[in-house]
Amino acid sequence: MNSKLMIKQLSVFHQQTNRILIDSVNLSVDEGEVVALVGASGSGKSLIAQAVLQLLPDNLRQTGILNYQSRPITKKDRGQNIVLIPQSIDALDPLMKVKKQIQSLLPAPHSEQKVFDLLGRLGLEEEVASRYPFQLSGGQARRILVAIALGSAAKVVIADEPTPGLDVDSKTDMLSLLKEVKASGKSILLITHDFDVAVDLADRIAVIKDGKIIENTLKENFVGKGERLFHPYTKALWQALPKNLFIRSL
């Protein structure tokens, strides 16, 4: 398949100490594919997303290859070819109405009707377009973030921890929204620590620990007691889920 996003031998170092934060990561997301990057807090998931989006802080440096459609990723790709669904709804501009925020990232021509159609596709009324972010409920704001990703011309979507802190209904709603993005044909890199979300949405699951990807496998291998899984840490994570009866604690 044609890889929309290709990460080869990506390493991230702290400038002053040379401490390795990401260690020789290889990861690809093919056309129309959802790849979940799963790991505990501090494992390096978000650093990989920042590297892809060219947003690493100045005190870090990176080596390796990051390609979008077989060419090096540049800052111009951010928002145009690779778009982020951020974890926090605070990412919305508090001083800009919803319609203008969506239009700013839609490919031309970005008519008002196109915004209304996009909102309707995600279950929002047209009047939402005239509101400011502070006038939205949390659920509405999350839908707007997904609407921006869905309506953009970007072929790759990075969803950064889209479900933490959500109740069961809100989590189900967010998964439905992400499935809508998947159905549109976009490729998704899903960053999460929630195995249930990964198994529900992803085609492949990569597990990261201490800056290294220790397993990269089809989601179909996450069954039973993890007999099809390779790494003991991955098996332990899988077996520790409530639905797997907490077979082993980490």
Side-chain angles (χ1 to χ4, degrees), residues 25-222:
V25 161
N26 294 297
L27 190 65
S28 65
V29 185
D30 291 334
E31 185 172 358
E33 185 182 36
V34 178
V35 175
L37 183 60
V38 179
S41 296
S43 59
K45 304 187 302 295
S46 293
L47 281 179
I48 292 174
Q50 289 173 15
V52 170
L53 293 164
Q54 309 287 289
L55 289 172
L56 281 176
D58 292 338
N59 65 335
L60 301 181
R61 65 181 176 88
Q62 68 184 65
T63 59
I65 298 171
L66 297 172
N67 282 349
Y68 170 79
Q69 293 188 326
S70 302
R71 62 158 178 79
I73 294 172
T74 69
K75 290 182 179 179
K76 291 182 179 180
D77 287 310
R78 187 171 66 235
Q80 181 176 343
N81 295 314
I82 305 171
V83 67
L84 174 70
I85 299 177
Q87 179 177 349
S88 174
I89 59 177
D90 292 337
L92 291 171
D93 188 334
L95 303 178
M96 188 185 296
K97 289 184 178 181
V98 165
K99 181 175 71 174
K100 190 172 181 181
Q101 296 204 47
I102 295 177
Q103 285 180 321
S104 68
L105 287 172
L106 290 183
H110 36 63
S111 66
E112 185 176 75
Q113 187 57 50
K114 190 169 183 178
V115 174
F116 293 157
D117 291 345
L118 194 56
L119 293 177
R121 188 172 172 182
L122 297 180
L124 293 170
E125 301 293 332
E126 290 184 3
E127 60 159 307
V128 170
S130 63
R131 295 180 187 173
Y132 288 97
F134 74 88
Q135 296 173 310
L136 304 174
S137 68
Q140 288 173 328
R142 282 190 292 273
R143 285 173 181 267
I144 296 304
L145 291 172
V146 174
I148 291 171
L150 184 60
S152 77
K155 299 298 184 183
V156 174
V157 175
I158 298 178
D160 186 11
E161 295 282 10
T163 59
L166 301 184
D167 58 34
V168 174
D169 289 341
S170 297
K171 182 192 254 189
T172 300
D173 186 46
M174 176 55 77
L175 278 169
S176 295
L177 295 174
L178 291 172
K179 287 175 181 177
E180 183 79 11
V181 176
K182 180 180 181 180
S184 73
K186 295 181 187 291
S187 305
I188 302 175
L189 176 60
L190 171 67
I191 295 174
T192 183
H193 64 266
D194 192 328
F195 253 118
D196 287 334
V197 170
V199 171
D200 193 341
L201 187 66
D203 301 298
R204 282 190 293 121
I205 298 174
V207 179
I208 186 169
K209 182 178 186 291
D210 299 330
K212 295 182 179 181
I213 290 183
I214 58 172
E215 186 140 9
N216 188 344
T217 188
L218 295 173
K219 78 168 181 181
E220 287 80 9
N221 291 326
F222 288 86

